Amino acid sequence: MSCKVVMVTSFKGGVGKSTVAANMALRLAFGGKRTMLVDCDFRMRCLDIILGVEEQIVYDAGDVLLKKALLEKAVIVDRRDKNLLFLPAPFNWQGGIDSRAFSEMLDEAKEKYSLDYIILDTPGSSGEEFEAAALSCDMAYIVATHSFPSIRAAECTGRELEDMGVVDKRLVINMFDTTGKDSNKKPSVVDIIDKTYLKLVGIIPNDPSIVLMQDRGEMIDTVKECNIAKAFNNICKRTEGKNVPLFTGFKKVNRRKLLNN
C-alpha cells in the first residue's frame, strides 16, 4: 500500500496530542507497519522525552530542512521495535518553515524507508508547523477531551483544516472517564461528536499512570493488557480500515451506559 500521512492535532494544548501520536505510531509498528513519527513542534519539542531518546538526538528535522544533515543522520530507530522510526524537531527554532521543503522531506522518507505510515505530531496552535503538516497529510486526527474549551478548539481546528482542503478528519476523545461518575456534569460521547462535527475514530480512557510512564520513557508496550493499550489497538485497526466496535477489549466497562450517557 502507499504511505498514509496522519496528522495528530488540536488548537488546544494539554489534550494529549503527543501521547496519542507516539502510542499510535508504536502500535502501528508492533503490527508490522513501517511507521515514522515526526515531531512538528519546532519550538518546544517533547516527543523525544516521551520516547525516551532525548540523549540520542544529534541532528533533527530543522537540520534536514536547512540541508545541514542528511535525513538518515537525523532519524532514530526506536529500541522497542525497528519498524518505528522517529524524526525529532529542533528546539527553539527561530527560522521559518517552508511547506514545500517539509513535504519533500516526507516524500524522501517514504521512499528511503519504505514507510506505511507517517504520524505528524503538531503543536497546540495554528502556525507554520500546522500549515506544513496540513498541506502534507492525507487525514487528520483531532484530539479533544471532556472539557468544553478543548471541544471548541477541536471544532475550530476541523474548520481550519476544511478550509485548507483536508477532507478526511476524525475525532479522538482522549482522557475519557470510563467510570461513568458525574456523567451528568460532562458532555457525552454524542455531545462531543455533535459539537465538533467530526467522525469519531476512537476513545482513549483516562489513566493517570500514563504521565508517570512518559516521564520514564515508557509507553503502552509496558501495559499491554490495560484498557488504554486496547484503545490504541482499536484506533490503529480503524486507521487501517478495519471495523472495530468502540471499547472492544476493554475490561470492566459498561459500553451501553457510556455511549448513552
Side-chain angles (χ1 to χ4, degrees), residues 24-227:
M24 262 189 63
L26 182 61
R27 185 62 193 81
L28 287 167
F30 282 158
K33 304 298 182 183
R34 293 282 289 171
T35 305
M36 179 173 285
L37 177 63
V38 181
D39 193 340
C40 298
D41 192 340
F42 277 35
R43 289 162 181 84
M44 194 172 64
R45 70 185 184 202
C46 69
L47 275 177
D48 56 315
I49 297 173
I50 293 175
L51 295 174
V53 298
E54 61 267 36
E55 299 299 327
Q56 297 181 43
I57 297 175
V58 178
Y59 299 104
D60 54 50
D63 295 316
V64 178
L65 290 174
L66 293 176
K67 308 296 183 184
K68 292 182 177 180
L70 297 174
L71 177 65
E72 54 266 34
K73 293 290 187 180
V75 171
I76 296 171
V77 180
D78 192 85
R79 68 185 185 279
R80 283 156 287 229
D81 196 298
K82 65 181 181 181
N83 283 320
L84 177 58
L85 307 172
F86 174 53
L87 180 59
F91 187 75
N92 197 25
W93 175 262
Q94 298 298 320
I97 300 173
D98 186 308
S99 294
R100 177 173 293 183
F102 183 84
S103 180
E104 289 173 351
M105 179 177 68
L106 297 187
D107 287 340
E108 180 186 354
K110 292 175 188 178
E111 183 175 352
K112 184 162 289 184
Y113 295 102
S114 302
L115 297 176
D116 297 303
Y117 289 95
I118 295 177
I119 308 297
L120 306 176
D121 178 39
T122 67
S125 63
S126 60
E128 291 182 330
E129 299 105 317
F130 176 85
E131 181 177 350
L135 293 174
S136 297
C137 77
D138 300 303
M139 59 196 308
Y141 283 7
I142 302 172
V143 183
T145 67
H146 275 301
S147 76
F148 288 104
S150 82
I151 295 169
R152 178 173 291 178
E155 178 191 357
C156 293
T157 307
R159 288 180 177 176
E160 182 73 16
L161 288 168
E162 186 78 26
D163 291 342
M164 296 182 72
V166 180
V167 177
D168 196 350
K169 302 177 294 297
R170 313 286 179 89
L171 172 68
V172 176
I173 301 176
N174 193 25
M175 306 180 204
F176 184 79
D177 181 8
T178 57
T179 66
K181 295 179 180 178
D182 299 324
S183 59
N184 60 325
K185 299 179 183 178
K186 301 174 182 177
S188 68
V189 172
V190 174
D191 289 335
I192 299 173
I193 293 170
D194 287 345
K195 290 178 183 296
T196 59
Y197 304 99
L198 295 167
K199 183 178 179 181
L200 183 67
V201 72
I203 296 175
I204 302 168
N206 185 43
D207 189 341
S209 66
I210 195 72
V211 177
L212 298 175
M213 289 164 54
Q214 287 178 173
D215 287 345
R216 298 191 297 264
E218 297 175 356
M219 292 161 59
I220 56 169
D221 59 305
T222 62
V223 290
K224 293 180 181 179
E225 299 306 314
C226 289
N227 286 349

